[in-house]
């Protein structure tokens, strides 16, 4: 089916400049908050269902809340605003510290501050639907950097071999 194959084509964009979907108006401030959330909690988000749900709630709050900014009313409180969680635990289980997903998301959100966006990008399909994705530093760049670090060591070895 050509329609299915066509949906597999995405264009990658910087997060703050995403042209499609809910991420289209995210801007630099929110993009920086998402990067900080990812830096601090992205690694543990898959450790439990509660943490995964908390991570998703925090992402949704940052993306969908209209009043997020330096001096805005709702700030990053998961209990207020146009995107909020009311009552319950948001998951049927608690994490190892006995936090619900909503409480854990609130704790994470309180401590965020915008940082430079280094690894988060959006993938946008032909219909303008965007997905948030992590793009790691390419392996070639890492190997090149290691190669540059090795040059002084090699020079020292050559110099000591000639004497």
């Amino acid at each position: 089916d050509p329609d299915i194959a066509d949906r597999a084509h995405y264009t990658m964009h910087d997060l703050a400049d995403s042209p499609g979907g809910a991420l289209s108006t995210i801007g630099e401030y929110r993009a920086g908050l998402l990067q900080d959330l990812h830096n601090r909690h992205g690694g543990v988000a898959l450790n439990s269902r509660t943490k995964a749900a908390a991570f998703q709630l925090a992402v949704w709050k940052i993306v969908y809340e209209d009043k997020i900014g330096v001096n805005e009313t709702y700030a990053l409180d998961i209990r207020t605003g146009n995107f909020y969680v009311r009552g319950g635990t948001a998951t049927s289980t608690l994490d190892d510290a006995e936090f619900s997903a909503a409480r854990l998301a609130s704790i994470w959100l309180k401590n965020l501050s915008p940082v430079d966006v280094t690894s988060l990008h959006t993938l946008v399909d032909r219909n303008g639907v965007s997905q948030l994705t992590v793009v790691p530093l390419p392996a070639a760049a890492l190997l090149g950097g290691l190669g540059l670090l090795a040059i002084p060591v090699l020079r020292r070895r050559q110099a000591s071999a000639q004497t």
Side-chain angles (χ1 to χ4, degrees), residues 115-147:
V115 298
D116 289 338
V117 179
T118 56
S119 63
L120 295 178
H121 293 77
T122 56
L123 297 175
V124 181
D125 72 7
R126 68 183 175 98
N127 297 316
V129 176
S130 57
Q131 297 179 24
L132 186 62
T133 187
V134 176
V135 179
L137 187 61
L142 288 173
L143 290 174
L146 289 174

Side-chain angles (χ1 to χ4, degrees), residues 44-58 91 101 104 108:
V44 299
L46 299 177
N47 290 352
S48 73
R49 290 182 298 175
T50 302
K51 289 177 183 167
F55 192 83
Q56 190 62 52
L57 286 171
T91 62
L104 193 54
W108 289 352

Side-chain angles (χ1 to χ4, degrees), residues 13-29:
H13 301 273
D14 289 336
L15 180 57
D17 301 323
S18 179
L23 299 174
S24 64
T25 57
I26 200 160
E28 288 185 35
Y29 185 83

Side-chain angles (χ1 to χ4, degrees), residues 75-149:
L76 292 171
D77 186 349
I78 200 76
R79 295 165 297 157
T80 60
N82 69 321
F83 177 86
Y84 60 91
V85 174
R86 184 182 312 170
T89 62
T91 62
S92 59
T93 60
L94 301 177
D95 76 350
D96 51 340
E98 299 193 6
F99 287 138
S100 68
R103 174 112 196 272
L104 193 54
S106 290
I107 291 168
W108 289 352
L109 286 165
K110 276 184 194 171
N111 296 314
L112 295 181
S113 57
V115 298
D116 289 338
V117 179
T118 56
S119 63
L120 295 178
H121 293 77
T122 56
L123 297 175
V124 181
D125 72 7
R126 68 183 175 98
N127 297 316
V129 176
S130 57
Q131 297 179 24
L132 186 62
T133 187
V134 176
V135 179
L137 187 61
L142 288 173
L143 290 174
L146 289 174
L148 290 174
L149 292 173

